[in-house]
Amino acid sequence: MVGATLFHRRKHSWPAEEFISRNTLQLLDFDSAAPPPHAWRRRLNCHANILKEFTITFREAIKMVRLGIRLWSYVREEASHGRKAPIDPFTKENCKPSASQGVPLGGMGSGSISRGFRGEFKQWQITPGTCDPSPMMSNQFSIFISRDGGHKKYASVLAPGQHGSLGKSRDKGISSWGWNLNGQHSTYHALFPRAWTIYDGEPDPELKISCRQISPFIPNNYRDSSLPASVFVYTLVNTGKERAKVSLLFTWANSIGGTSHMSGGHVNEPFIGEDGVSGVLLHHKTGKGNPPVTFAISACETQNVNVTVLPCFGLSEDSSMTAKDMWDMMEKDGKFDQANFNSGPSMPSSAGDTICAAVSASAWVEAHGRCTVSFALSWSSPKVKFSKGSTYDRRYTKYYGTSPRAALDLVHDALTHYKRWEGDIEAWQNPILGDDRLPEWYKFTLFNELYFLVAGGTVWIDSASLHANGDSQLQQSNSRNPDGKASGVDSKDQQNNLNDCDSNGIKSNGEASVIHQKNGLFVDTRHVDDDDDVGRFLYLEGVEYVMWNTYDVHFYASYALLMLFPKIELNIQRDFAKAVLSEDGRKVKFLAEGNWGIRKVRGAVPHDLGMHDPWNEMNAYNIHDTSKWKDLNPKFVLQVYRDFAATGDYQFGIDVWPAVRAAMEYMEQFDRDNDDLIENDGFPDQTYDTWTVHGVSAYCGCLWLAALQAAAAMALQIGDKFFAELCKNKFLNAKAALETKLWNGSYLNYDSGASSNSKSIQTDQLAGQWYTASSGLPPIFEESKIRSSLQKIFDFNVMKTKGGRMGAVNGMHPDGKVDETCMQSREIWTGVTYAAAATMILSGMEEQGFTTAEGIFTAGWSEEGFGYWFQTPEGWTMDGHYRSLIYMRPLAIWGMQWALSLPKAILDAPKINMMDRVHMSPRSRRFSHNVKVVKHKAKCFGNSKLNCTC
């Protein structure tokens, strides 16, 4: 735990007073208009540099040339079917990534839109698995100010920068607007899920403006956190001597990113709703058979605020109402014609034309007075359609229905409920923000890394739609194996499956007593009531690695979900538990070696839940055969036990126990020498999928030791005492073998092979110990060995990497040189660095832990860094070049928070004595020779309430 004064001498601070005048802060100090004391901050005129992507070395290219050829062929094949490949390093976006990201909009799982810190709406992810980074420059907030009888006027888009064709005298598009904001006196303050933009005398020196962006990301609120809506609250403070007429303008294109606005068939429609909420609906006709989307932009009319709309204007000079006409109207009148509300739906747009809508909110602000104006944005895309045909309802439709017009109700509720949202957000965040023991950078980075749960391609579906799909697709996909037998027939071995199954073959094992399959989905409704039914949740490994719920990476990221949305976390584990017991015999070509295998082997934890048809077609990853990976099964057992211990959900333990046993039994085949320790097979058979491992490895070996402990502890609590004894015996034998083969006196060697990097210091060598300590289990080694290894990692991988200012490099030779065996050994992985920091904290090395993690902040989030805020990549090289932006693993920073505030359920968990064992012969120690059926009765286990928020 953190000591009371540990960080006082090294605490860094970024006070708001360094960015905003103290007088302005005092003027805005009401109704949450002022930015918080702890936030990530930038000036709007800050340069957004173009980010630099990693490149492989010539030696690495030679090693991977065959893989590259096969991958290129696979990408082209998928494209011929109208599909994206999950990994495509060959196709580059036209819009180069830059250091311009900010807090994304909306809740989780309903599509997302990001907003850069300078105000641009970008990073469109409305359609599952697709991401268009390009900003829609017509989507803006603008302001029009008139003073002194109209003799003093200001008009500007509230975003800095120059539009590409600005200055063309005859242009009638958005370059004709007033792009007059310099940004020198305007600042951005981010504390996810909120952000503040403060205009300190821009464009009017006598008007202070605060724009507060609010989205409904609220821990343990499984309703509002699914809503695709955001609110923008403008607070206006007039410091002048005369009153000012202020009109705020919100413009929006009928588009879901890219060139979708030019496809034609789009319709805009004004509306007047309840409680003063009015605006425009933008009905978007999507292409490629994707479900339609409806946007709503709106403002709230009050006694002092008048709302008017312009339902339709165009961006070309041929439009009947051009962007220039719209701007001129606002400059002249500060509002639109009230009769526009009666205009009805517009004519569908023509192909090649872009139609936009505008909402204006006007108010008088008295001299030395204040005024609040609220806008809202929502997008209703009720159906989720994956590229191979499966369609489901999004989570929010449980409360708003499946009509696209739900967008109107969403903006209404957003504008009437946002203060409650803010109260809940502050109640969650304030205890951490107010903890003076914690470094300043850590407080806001902890919350800001959660951006990924919105912008990481999340999909959250309603359970009812799983049943509504009916049995027809189930029959089509799972009714028969290729050999004509029923799908419940067991396979004898993997080779028989390969021989028996053609390209459409699917096998499903009949042992799954806890499985109810519907449309190929793993749905268990026996113990679920309405309050516990939180639907099914998917999130991408990254926007460049398009695979749902990638499990080896979820191992690091899952702490965030467990602490904030534990019911979602348990459902993800249930999905994987039932996947362990299933089999899919369809043939797959693995690209690294060019060999063939089957898609999913029974007993193996899948790498991911799929891409084009998640749940029904798992393992989209096809570089290696992950049924031979050594980390996935132990990671499953470790996550399940941690979640079981943390939530005290005994029924969850019963449901997943058959899969835990199956996962452990499956791993026994990798113990080649009967010492109860698994060995790696001379290829990159774990999450480091370019980093070859020979023999026993520190990473997989420690995961295996930890999994044996976790399985033993869980078996005792479930009532399977004999299996617990098996695991305890295996643990003691495996521990002795691993220490003999890898412990060198100060740390664990990378592996037991004879390669040039076998003695490398791996940052992630104690990943298994991280989980045992996080789960209340005994340490897998003596404390002195754990601390010695962590100190070695800190001294070498951290401090010899640019003085600790970049994070921990994955591999370091004992002579202090970076391990350049492969691309991944020389990279700094953000999530792994956070995980190592968490392990240090759990081992009483708090100062080293925070210094380690601070390197990620310095390199990725600070103003002197590389510009990776709100797009934290998988990793970067020593020169700061990134690989895979917007990546899942950095959520591991919540593993640090878990370490700092272990739940009472973990601290009070039953303790297991791994040294107390029953002697067993080598044969009787085999899982496969000791099959025992355990009958369970549901009972209360500890604290059964799922409320793990810390």
Side-chain angles (χ1 to χ4, degrees):
M1 305 301 287
V2 179
T5 59
L6 180 61
F7 300 111
H8 279 192
R9 67 178 179 83
R10 54 184 297 276
K11 175 181 176 181
H12 299 297
S13 179
W14 292 265
E17 290 86 349
E18 292 184 5
F19 293 78
I20 309 169
S21 70
R22 189 178 298 273
N23 179 56
T24 298
L25 286 172
Q26 291 173 347
L27 291 170
L28 294 174
D29 188 20
F30 74 101
D31 193 29
S32 301
H38 312 285
W40 179 89
R41 313 184 198 278
R42 284 295 179 276
R43 300 189 187 279
L44 263 61
N45 66 346
C46 177
H47 175 63
N49 57 289
I50 300 298
L51 306 181
K52 296 180 180 179
E53 190 172 9
F54 86 107
T55 55
I56 59 175
T57 65
F58 179 76
R59 186 177 66 175
E60 291 164 353
I62 293 298
K63 287 182 178 180
M64 293 193 288
V65 65
R66 292 179 181 176
L67 168 61
I69 293 170
R70 295 187 193 105
L71 184 56
W72 167 252
S73 177
Y74 174 68
V75 168
R76 293 182 63 187
E77 179 185 354
E78 288 294 284
S80 70
H81 296 292
R83 299 190 298 262
K84 286 179 59 177
I87 301 174
D88 178 6
F90 309 107
T91 305
K92 302 298 181 183
E93 297 287 348
N94 293 328
C95 178
K96 292 184 178 180
S98 64
S100 59
Q101 296 285 18
V103 174
L105 306 175
M108 300 188 297
S110 295
S112 71
I113 307 163
S114 290
R115 193 176 184 219
F117 75 87
R118 295 187 296 190
E120 65 274 22
F121 293 88
K122 57 198 299 184
Q123 213 75 32
W124 300 80
Q125 297 187 77
I126 305 298
T127 303
T130 64
C131 178
D132 192 293
S134 304
M136 285 296 300
M137 294 305 295
S138 54
N139 297 358
Q140 298 288 348
F141 285 100
S142 303
I143 194 166
F144 303 83
I145 307 163
S146 177
R147 293 178 180 273
D148 193 20
H151 296 296
K152 191 186 297 183
K153 288 189 173 185
Y154 304 90
S156 181
V157 177
L158 287 174
Q162 303 292 311
H163 187 257
S165 57
L166 187 65
K168 293 184 178 180
S169 59
R170 296 184 179 181
D171 185 79
K172 295 186 178 181
I174 63 173
S175 64
S176 64
W177 296 356
W179 299 84
N180 302 318
L181 196 78
N182 176 275
Q184 181 180 359
H185 302 292
S186 300
T187 52
Y188 182 82
H189 311 257
L191 187 65
F192 178 90
R194 297 189 292 173
W196 291 254
T197 305
I198 307 300
Y199 305 90
D200 194 358
E202 286 189 281
D204 181 349
E206 295 181 328
L207 188 70
K208 310 298 184 182
I209 308 166
S210 166
C211 172
R212 190 163 83 257
Q213 174 186 313
I214 309 151
S215 293
F217 183 98
I218 305 165
N220 285 308
N221 185 331
Y222 296 89
R223 180 191 188 279
D224 291 355
S225 296
S226 72
L227 304 184
S230 286
V231 176
F232 306 89
V233 181
Y234 280 84
T235 301
L236 311 172
V237 180
N238 184 1
T239 62
K241 296 181 179 179
E242 69 272 359
R243 69 175 186 162
K245 182 182 179 182
V246 180
S247 296
L248 286 159
L249 176 70
F250 188 16
T251 52
W252 197 261
N254 196 323
S255 174
I256 59 170
T259 59
S260 61
H261 47 284
M262 303 181 70
S263 59
H266 313 312
V267 174
N268 293 354
E269 176 187 4
F271 70 87
I272 298 178
E274 298 177 349
D275 301 314
V277 176
S278 54
V280 182
L281 296 173
L282 297 89
H283 305 289
H284 186 83
K285 182 181 179 182
T286 58
K288 299 180 180 179
N290 287 311
V293 181
T294 295
F295 293 93
I297 57 171
S298 65
C300 190
E301 185 156 321
T302 65
Q303 186 175 1
N304 188 41
V305 178
N306 175 244
V307 177
T308 56
V309 301
L310 183 63
C312 197
F313 69 89
L315 299 185
S316 69
E317 60 183 32
D318 298 328
S319 304
S320 57
M321 172 67 69
T322 66
K324 185 178 187 304
D325 295 334
M326 183 278 299
W327 188 267
D328 292 344
M329 191 181 305
M330 285 298 300
E331 275 198 299
K332 178 184 176 184
D333 302 324
K335 62 181 181 179
F336 301 116
D337 192 336
Q338 194 72 27
N340 289 343
F341 281 113
N342 302 320
S343 61
S346 68
M347 293 293 293
S349 63
S350 301
D353 289 340
T354 303
I355 60 171
C356 306
V359 174
S360 168
S362 305
W364 284 99
V365 186
E366 299 299 327
H368 305 292
R370 300 168 174 172
C371 180
T372 298
V373 179
S374 300
F375 293 88
L377 166 70
S378 72
W379 52 99
S380 179
S381 178
K383 298 289 184 181
V384 178
K385 182 181 178 183
F386 294 100
S387 58
K388 287 194 175 180
S390 295
T391 302
Y392 311 103
D393 296 337
R394 294 191 190 267
R395 167 74 176 173
Y396 79 90
T397 64
K398 180 180 178 73
Y399 313 103
Y400 287 85
T402 57
S403 169
R405 297 185 69 85
L408 194 159
D409 296 325
L410 285 162
V411 287
H412 171 272
D413 289 357
L415 286 168
T416 54
H417 294 164
Y418 74 84
K419 289 187 177 180
R420 174 172 58 79
W421 294 349
E422 288 196 284
D424 292 343
I425 291 167
E426 290 172 4
W428 157 47
Q429 294 183 336
N430 284 345
I432 294 173
L433 297 175
D435 190 341
D436 291 335
R437 300 170 300 170
L438 300 175
E440 181 85 358
W441 66 265
Y442 170 78
K443 295 177 183 180
F444 56 78
T445 307
L446 177 72
F447 293 112
N448 285 337
E449 287 284 17
L450 290 171
Y451 85 93
F452 187 83
L453 289 176
V454 172
T458 53
V459 172
W460 195 356
I461 63 174
D462 179 27
S463 295
S465 67
L466 308 182
H467 303 279
N469 276 313
D471 291 328
S472 59
Q473 293 183 39
L474 173 64
Q475 293 294 328
Q476 180 179 355
S477 64
N478 285 341
S479 61
R480 292 280 173 179
N481 292 318
D483 57 6
K485 296 180 181 179
S487 63
V489 175
D490 286 335
S491 57
K492 293 182 178 180
D493 55 51
Q494 182 175 340
Q495 188 58 46
N496 284 343
N497 286 325
L498 186 58
N499 293 335
D500 292 343
C501 300
D502 64 16
S503 61
N504 296 314
I506 301 175
K507 289 191 176 183
S508 179
N509 185 275
E511 291 182 24
S513 61
V514 297
I515 298 177
H516 296 271
Q517 290 196 5
K518 189 75 166 179
N519 190 27
L521 286 148
F522 304 119
V523 183
D524 187 349
T525 58
R526 295 169 304 158
H527 313 293
V528 176
D529 59 34
D530 192 58
D531 290 337
D532 289 329
D533 178 14
V534 298
R536 286 295 182 268
F537 189 85
L538 299 169
Y539 66 146
L540 293 175
E541 179 178 337
V543 298
E544 297 176 40
Y545 296 162
V546 189
M547 294 162 281
W548 302 109
N549 292 6
T550 299
Y551 200 73
D552 57 308
V553 185
H554 181 69
F555 174 80
Y556 299 83
S558 59
Y559 284 88
L561 286 174
L562 178 59
M563 296 186 77
L564 306 178
F565 298 95
K567 293 181 182 179
I568 290 177
E569 166 63 10
L570 292 192
N571 273 357
I572 290 174
Q573 299 303 344
R574 286 188 178 100
D575 283 345
F576 276 91
K578 294 160 189 175
V580 168
L581 301 175
S582 71
E583 187 161 290
D584 184 342
R586 287 174 287 187
K587 295 178 183 179
V588 174
K589 184 177 183 179
F590 300 111
L591 304 179
E593 301 296 334
N595 58 315
W596 289 80
I598 65 172
R599 180 171 291 279
K600 168 66 178 69
V601 177
R602 185 190 182 278
V605 174
H607 173 273
D608 55 79
L609 290 182
M611 176 185 178
H612 301 302
D613 196 7
W615 295 290
N616 299 317
E617 186 180 271
M618 294 174 283
N619 281 332
Y621 178 90
N622 61 349
I623 304 297
H624 297 289
D625 181 356
T626 59
S627 70
K628 298 177 181 178
W629 276 19
K630 311 307 184 293
D631 62 335
L632 287 168
N633 283 40
K635 285 176 175 177
F636 168 70
V637 176
L638 289 170
Q639 289 182 73
V640 163
Y641 180 74
R642 178 204 58 190
D643 297 353
F644 173 65
T647 63
D649 189 331
Y650 191 80
Q651 187 59 57
F652 167 74
I654 291 174
D655 291 345
V656 301
W657 179 243
V660 171
R661 282 201 58 157
M664 295 298 289
E665 292 165 1
Y666 182 85
M667 292 301 293
E668 204 162 43
Q669 64 182 295
F670 303 121
D671 175 12
R672 314 295 187 189
D673 52 7
N674 295 321
D675 61 356
D676 294 324
L677 181 62
I678 62 171
E679 285 87 36
N680 294 84
D681 284 329
F683 74 101
D685 49 358
Q686 25 76 46
T687 194
Y688 299 89
D689 60 352
T690 68
W691 200 356
T692 297
V693 196
H694 299 276
V696 175
S697 71
Y699 182 65
C700 296
C702 287
L703 288 172
W704 176 240
L705 291 183
L708 286 167
Q709 274 208 124
M714 191 169 181
L716 285 174
Q717 295 167 41
I718 291 295
D720 194 344
K721 294 183 180 179
F722 192 76
F723 193 80
E725 292 300 330
L726 283 172
C727 291
K728 288 166 67 175
N729 275 271
K730 281 182 172 291
F731 170 80
L732 290 171
N733 294 325
K735 177 177 181 291
L738 187 141
E739 289 183 323
T740 298
K741 295 177 180 180
L742 296 184
W743 180 251
N744 62 22
S746 60
Y747 67 95
L748 294 169
N749 289 335
Y750 175 70
D751 64 25
S752 63
S755 63
S756 61
N757 70 318
S758 289
K759 289 183 169 53
S760 285
I761 308 161
Q762 185 181 12
T763 293
D764 220 359
Q765 63 184 266
L766 291 178
Q769 171 58 28
W770 175 33
Y771 258 73
T772 57
S774 295
S775 305
L777 292 169
I780 56 177
F781 303 114
E782 292 82 354
E783 292 284 358
S784 60
K785 291 182 178 178
I786 293 170
R787 291 178 66 92
S788 173
S789 296
L790 291 172
Q791 190 64 50
K792 193 75 172 183
I793 292 165
F794 179 77
D795 292 341
F796 280 70
N797 301 53
V798 177
M799 298 309 296
K800 292 184 183 294
T801 304
K802 306 292 185 181
R805 299 182 64 79
M806 291 190 71
V809 70
N810 282 337
M812 179 77 77
H813 290 295
D815 62 1
K817 295 181 180 178
V818 173
D819 183 345
E820 297 188 349
T821 303
C822 67
M823 173 182 74
Q824 291 174 343
S825 63
R826 62 183 173 89
E827 287 180 326
I828 296 152
W829 282 12
T830 52
V832 168
T833 299
Y834 286 143
T839 312
M840 292 173 184
I841 292 169
L842 287 163
S843 300
M845 302 170 64
E846 293 93 346
E847 185 158 7
Q848 292 95 324
F850 277 94
T851 300
T852 295
E854 188 175 359
I856 300 301
F857 167 77
T858 302
W861 288 82
S862 75
E863 200 155 9
E864 63 198 73
F866 301 112
Y868 296 131
W869 45 82
F870 299 103
Q871 52 189 331
T872 318
E874 160 75 306
W876 46 69
T877 57
M878 297 290 283
D879 54 5
H881 293 193
Y882 74 88
R883 182 168 63 82
S884 187
L885 293 172
I886 312 180
Y887 196 78
M888 181 197 294
R889 206 182 317 248
L891 284 171
I893 192 173
W894 280 85
M896 295 177 64
Q897 189 59 26
W898 183 269
L900 293 165
S901 53
L902 284 174
K904 188 174 185 297
I906 293 293
L907 296 173
D908 296 343
K911 305 305 178 187
I912 179 172
N913 183 0
M914 295 300 294
M915 304 305 294
D916 180 20
R917 62 168 173 166
V918 177
H919 178 73
M920 294 180 176
S921 67
R923 177 177 175 82
S924 65
R925 290 202 313 267
R926 304 290 292 180
F927 288 135
S928 56
H929 289 280
N930 295 279
V931 179
K932 183 179 179 181
V933 177
V934 180
K935 295 183 179 180
H936 307 287
K937 292 182 180 179
K939 62 181 180 180
C940 179
F941 175 75
N943 178 12
S944 61
K945 292 183 179 179
L946 290 174
N947 187 2
C948 291
T949 307
C950 298

